[in-house]
């Protein structure tokens, strides 16, 4: 594993949904409630997969027929409000807090690159008391959405580090493409078929993988 970071690990970039938070089910509930309002059937498995990787705007335009697009803003503001109805369902991934605490103790920088909007990801971070961990936070309305590597490149530039010293933890092909385009190491997270230079199912596995890369933590730290 040490060959992945011959110059050390300077920072870790996290996707949000499916990586920081367990949100797949709650996101599906949101989109299916919108479809239900329009008397449309629930999402197909293919639509679920698309919506989990895409931005909310892209997802809604994808699953709602074009002749109803003009009503989407009203429905998502007044009928199925994400902040009011869905945010309370979100949960941090098991082991995530311990993992980022360990990274912070080791002086490893952390950032977020998500296809949520900036206001949305800041709300998520606030709910779980996480804002101080991540800088910068890159969202779909502050950089080109993934799979574009623009956001990941911006993070590396903001940190002033070489891409090969950075790890991107993601759970989708969009994450993998963004990491690859920026030249950073990719860790495929979760139980799906996605594979990366590191492939793990949970944070215990990722912690074990990086333990073979990171230097021992000094007692005084």
């Amino acid at each position: 594993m040490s060959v992945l970071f011959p110059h050390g690990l300077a920072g870790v970039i996290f996707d949000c949904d499916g990586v920081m938070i367990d949100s797949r089910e709650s996101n599906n509930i949101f989109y299916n409630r919108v479809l239900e309002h329009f008397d449309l059937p629930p999402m197909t498995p293919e639509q679920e997969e698309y919506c989990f990787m895409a931005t909310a705007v892209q997802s809604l335009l994808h699953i709602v027929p074009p002749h109803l697009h003009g009503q989407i803003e009203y429905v998502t503001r007044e009928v199925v409000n994400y902040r009011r109805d869905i945010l309370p369902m979100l949960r941090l991934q098991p082991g995530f807090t311990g993992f980022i605490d360990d990274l912070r103790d080791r002086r490893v920088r952390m950032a977020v690159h998500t296809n949520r909007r900036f206001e949305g990801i800041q709300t998520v971070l606030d709910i779980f008391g996480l804002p101080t961990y991540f800088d910068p936070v890159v969202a779909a309305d502050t950089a080109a959405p993934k799979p574009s590597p623009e956001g990941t490149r911006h993070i590396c530039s903001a940190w002033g580090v070489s891409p090969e010293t950075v790890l991107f933890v993601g759970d989708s092909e969009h994450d993998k493409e963004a990491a690859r385009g920026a030249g950073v190491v990719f860790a495929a997270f979760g139980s799906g078929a996605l594979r990366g230079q590191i492939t793990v199912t949970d944070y215990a596995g990722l912690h074990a993988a990086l333990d073979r890369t990171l230097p021992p933590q000094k007692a005084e730290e």
Side-chain angles (χ1 to χ4, degrees):
M1 191 70 62
S2 60
V3 297
L4 289 178
F5 300 104
H7 305 293
L9 178 64
V12 178
I13 300 171
F14 295 90
D15 173 45
C16 177
D17 293 273
V19 173
M20 296 169 58
I21 58 175
D22 183 0
S23 59
R24 184 178 287 268
E25 182 178 356
S26 59
N27 284 352
N28 288 346
I29 289 172
F30 171 70
Y31 293 120
N32 282 331
R33 285 184 182 176
V34 172
L35 292 176
E36 182 181 19
H37 172 82
F38 290 121
D39 292 323
L40 296 168
M43 292 189 294
T44 65
E46 292 76 17
Q47 288 175 322
E48 289 182 4
E49 193 62 30
Y50 177 91
C51 291
F52 198 67
M53 293 190 295
T55 68
V57 172
Q58 290 170 337
S59 299
L60 289 165
L61 294 178
H62 180 72
I63 64 174
V64 175
H67 70 280
L68 297 173
H69 284 180
Q71 300 181 46
I72 289 175
E73 182 179 356
Y74 168 79
V75 172
T76 56
R77 185 182 68 246
E78 302 295 338
V79 182
V80 190
N81 184 280
Y82 189 90
R83 179 187 291 265
R84 180 193 67 214
D85 302 329
I86 307 300
L87 276 178
M89 301 180 186
L90 301 183
R91 298 291 182 270
L92 288 176
Q93 289 281 11
F96 178 69
T97 301
F99 183 76
I100 61 175
D101 280 342
D102 183 66
L103 290 181
R104 187 161 65 174
D105 289 344
R106 296 175 186 267
R107 307 295 191 264
V108 176
R109 296 179 179 183
M110 289 173 278
V112 178
H113 186 190
T114 177
N115 273 355
R116 284 179 177 262
R117 293 175 60 84
F118 187 76
E119 181 182 3
I121 183 59
Q122 286 294 341
T123 299
V124 169
L125 295 177
D126 288 341
I127 286 173
F128 294 109
L130 299 174
T132 60
Y133 285 81
F134 305 103
D135 183 28
V137 174
V138 178
D141 51 347
T142 62
K146 296 174 292 185
S148 168
E150 178 185 324
T152 297
R153 288 173 178 163
H154 168 75
I155 292 168
C156 293
S157 176
W159 285 343
V161 301
S162 299
E164 62 266 21
T165 66
V166 173
L167 177 69
F168 191 122
V169 186
D171 69 334
S172 74
E173 287 291 343
H174 283 185
D175 297 329
K176 185 175 181 177
E177 290 182 39
R180 181 168 52 206
V184 306
V185 176
F186 181 66
F189 184 89
S191 57
L194 189 67
R195 294 294 179 266
Q197 289 114 309
I198 299 172
T199 301
V200 295
T201 59
D202 54 29
Y203 279 103
L206 186 56
H207 190 281
L210 291 186
D211 257 355
R212 297 191 289 272
T213 296
L214 297 173
Q217 182 181 346
K218 295 180 180 179
E220 62 268 21
E221 296 180 347

